[in-house]
Amino acid sequence: MTEKAWQPKRIGTGGSVNSSSKDALVDISVSNEDCKSTLTKCLKKIEGLRVRESQSAEMANLVIMDLAENPEETFSLIRDMTNMGKGPEIILTAPMPDSTVLLEAMRSGAKEFLAQPIKGEEVERAIQRYWERTTTQNEKNQVEQTQGSLIAFFGGKGGVGTTSIAVNLASALKELPGSPSVILVDVNQHGGDLPLYLDLQPNHSFRDIATDLSRLDHTFLLRVLTKCESGIQVLPSGYDDLSTGRLSPDCVEATLKLLQGSFDYVVMDCGHVLDLTTKKAMEVATWIMVTSTLMVPVVHRTKRILELLRGTGFASSKIRLVMNRYLSAEADVLNETEEILKQKTYWTIPNDYPSSSQSVNSGKSIIEAAPRSSVAKSFKAFAESFENKSTTPVKASGLSHWLNPFKGRRAQSSPSGA
């Protein structure tokens, strides 16, 4: 490369930067190996940049990608990346295309174009303009970009509505002011059917990532997601009880950390089977939402799950209890159940079978299928509780003794929005 008078500034740019370095992270998503090698050599000579290594869970600040055989596929991917609130900046590279393709690339959100064969001077100039843009952005906003919230739903027992709650909360989160970026992730390896709740037939799933974890980067991850009409992204499990192979904890951890740097909210359906994979998902989660109902067998198993989570080192502050299919006439029963579980209820979901059934059968969220129903209003308020970080406790009273066989000490105080 030729000598340049300018020196890149070491500033906090968009995305999740490694805490041990203020350098901007660059992801080279280029299929041509010669082009990729040249780009890597050029970028490594520029101070203030780091080239992303394979299997890194860090969120790139800058992505250099090439133009696919079908340019519209690339443009669609760029739009998805730039539309995410935490998406990286995009530089497109290709043999010199016509002006129409270049114009469409810029409209899609690409900030720079590098013609092939790659020239070091052009790479330097593109990076200089990148620094100038990020410097301007930092002057406008000195607040460091935060990581997204990871919300893990785990069923106290099968059939308590864990998947339905995850889907409908994600839909409600998407409708919050500013239309935050939301993704639904199916970590359930034992019959996960999350796509059915949204009438989706995805072509890709977690299995694509697990097949070769070394391919995992921001660009590849977006290629395996499925986007709903509502704007929610979905990552299905791809596994069921008859599937061969399993998701590894390492694969789940790397994927979730990358998603956390890309989305405002990552909503996970972890099923109701506690294995190493779901345990890892809950370890990295911001909150663990244990779902239950006021049925004796469900309460009995929920008690065991809560005790297991507390006993294996999970902080009580991140564990929250969600009671599904709740009727207002069951207030006394709820109070007694909280004593038994030693856990205050964070949220109650009303029992509305007609609206819930209509939602599932139509492949839409309850907010779309029955927007005026009490359960839809409950999910909207549920979503707002994450935005507002509500910590108002619920007052418990033990009046009913219907669950005496499982009764324990009084419930511990924990955040509540019920």
Side-chain angles (χ1 to χ4, degrees), residues 2-41:
T2 59
E3 291 291 332
K4 295 290 179 182
W6 63 277
Q7 289 294 327
K9 298 180 181 180
R10 292 174 176 268
I11 57 178
T13 57
S16 173
V17 181
N18 190 298
S19 59
S20 63
S21 171
K22 296 299 182 182
D23 293 347
L25 186 63
V26 185
D27 184 8
I28 305 175
S29 181
V30 176
S31 57
N32 186 299
E33 291 299 327
D34 290 338
C35 178
K36 186 174 184 178
S37 177
T38 302
L39 280 168
T40 301
K41 291 177 182 178

Side-chain angles (χ1 to χ4, degrees), residues 162-236:
T162 305
T163 301
S164 177
I165 295 175
V167 168
N168 287 294
L169 176 65
S171 178
L173 288 169
K174 187 63 181 175
E175 292 198 353
L176 288 174
S179 187
S181 53
V182 181
I183 182 169
L184 266 168
V185 183
D186 195 352
V187 191
N188 183 6
Q189 302 181 90
H190 305 275
D193 52 8
L194 189 151
L196 296 178
Y197 284 74
L198 294 168
D199 194 24
L200 296 177
Q201 295 181 334
N203 295 320
H204 302 285
S205 67
F206 235 135
R207 291 180 71 103
D208 295 276
I209 301 173
T211 300
D212 186 1
L213 187 56
S214 65
R215 300 175 61 193
L216 179 61
D217 58 30
H218 190 268
T219 307
F220 175 70
L221 183 59
L222 283 182
R223 292 183 188 277
V224 301
L225 302 183
T226 301
K227 190 174 183 179
C228 301
E229 292 183 2
S230 64
I232 297 173
Q233 298 277 5
V234 179
L235 178 59

Side-chain angles (χ1 to χ4, degrees), residues 293-323:
T293 64
L294 293 175
M295 298 290 291
V296 174
V298 178
V299 172
H300 179 55
R301 190 171 186 276
T302 301
K303 186 174 188 292
R304 293 174 59 192
I305 290 295
L306 289 171
E307 290 173 346
L308 184 61
L309 292 178
R310 297 179 192 127
T312 52
F314 286 94
S316 58
S317 59
K318 70 184 289 184
I319 301 173
R320 295 179 172 183
L321 178 64
V322 177
M323 201 62 68

Side-chain angles (χ1 to χ4, degrees), residues 99-332:
S99 57
T100 303
V101 173
L102 278 176
L103 181 60
E104 185 59 32
M106 297 303 112
R107 286 175 175 171
S108 299
K111 296 294 186 181
E112 302 281 346
F113 178 81
L114 294 174
Q116 298 176 14
I118 298 296
K119 296 180 181 179
E121 294 84 354
E122 293 181 0
V123 174
E124 276 195 349
R125 286 194 288 269
I127 296 301
Q128 182 177 14
R129 290 189 292 269
Y130 165 72
W131 288 128
E132 291 170 352
R133 286 191 296 272
T134 52
T135 300
T136 301
Q137 181 62 33
N138 275 269
E139 289 173 351
K140 292 180 180 178
N141 181 15
Q142 294 296 323
V143 180
E144 184 178 356
Q145 196 170 33
T146 58
Q147 293 282 287
S149 298
L150 295 173
I151 307 171
F153 283 91
F154 187 82
K157 192 175 177 64
V160 298
T162 305
T163 301
S164 177
I165 295 175
V167 168
N168 287 294
L169 176 65
S171 178
L173 288 169
K174 187 63 181 175
E175 292 198 353
L176 288 174
S179 187
S181 53
V182 181
I183 182 169
L184 266 168
V185 183
D186 195 352
V187 191
N188 183 6
Q189 302 181 90
H190 305 275
D193 52 8
L194 189 151
L196 296 178
Y197 284 74
L198 294 168
D199 194 24
L200 296 177
Q201 295 181 334
N203 295 320
H204 302 285
S205 67
F206 235 135
R207 291 180 71 103
D208 295 276
I209 301 173
T211 300
D212 186 1
L213 187 56
S214 65
R215 300 175 61 193
L216 179 61
D217 58 30
H218 190 268
T219 307
F220 175 70
L221 183 59
L222 283 182
R223 292 183 188 277
V224 301
L225 302 183
T226 301
K227 190 174 183 179
C228 301
E229 292 183 2
S230 64
I232 297 173
Q233 298 277 5
V234 179
L235 178 59
S237 167
Y239 292 88
D240 55 38
D241 288 329
L242 301 178
S243 301
T244 57
R246 280 289 179 261
L247 277 175
S248 71
D250 290 343
C251 177
V252 168
E253 181 178 22
T255 304
L256 291 178
K257 286 185 176 180
L258 197 55
L259 290 173
Q260 187 179 24
S262 307
F263 291 85
D264 296 310
Y265 294 100
V266 181
V267 182
M268 297 177 280
D269 176 10
C270 296
H272 68 280
V273 178
L274 187 59
D275 53 25
L276 293 176
T277 300
T278 52
K279 183 174 182 293
K280 176 58 67 176
M282 289 191 283
E283 284 176 359
V284 302
T286 310
W287 296 292
I288 302 171
M289 317 300 291
V290 178
T291 58
S292 185
T293 64
L294 293 175
M295 298 290 291
V296 174
V298 178
V299 172
H300 179 55
R301 190 171 186 276
T302 301
K303 186 174 188 292
R304 293 174 59 192
I305 290 295
L306 289 171
E307 290 173 346
L308 184 61
L309 292 178
R310 297 179 192 127
T312 52
F314 286 94
S316 58
S317 59
K318 70 184 289 184
I319 301 173
R320 295 179 172 183
L321 178 64
V322 177
M323 201 62 68
N324 195 20
R325 301 165 190 159
Y326 175 72
L327 297 173
S328 57
E330 298 174 323
D332 292 344

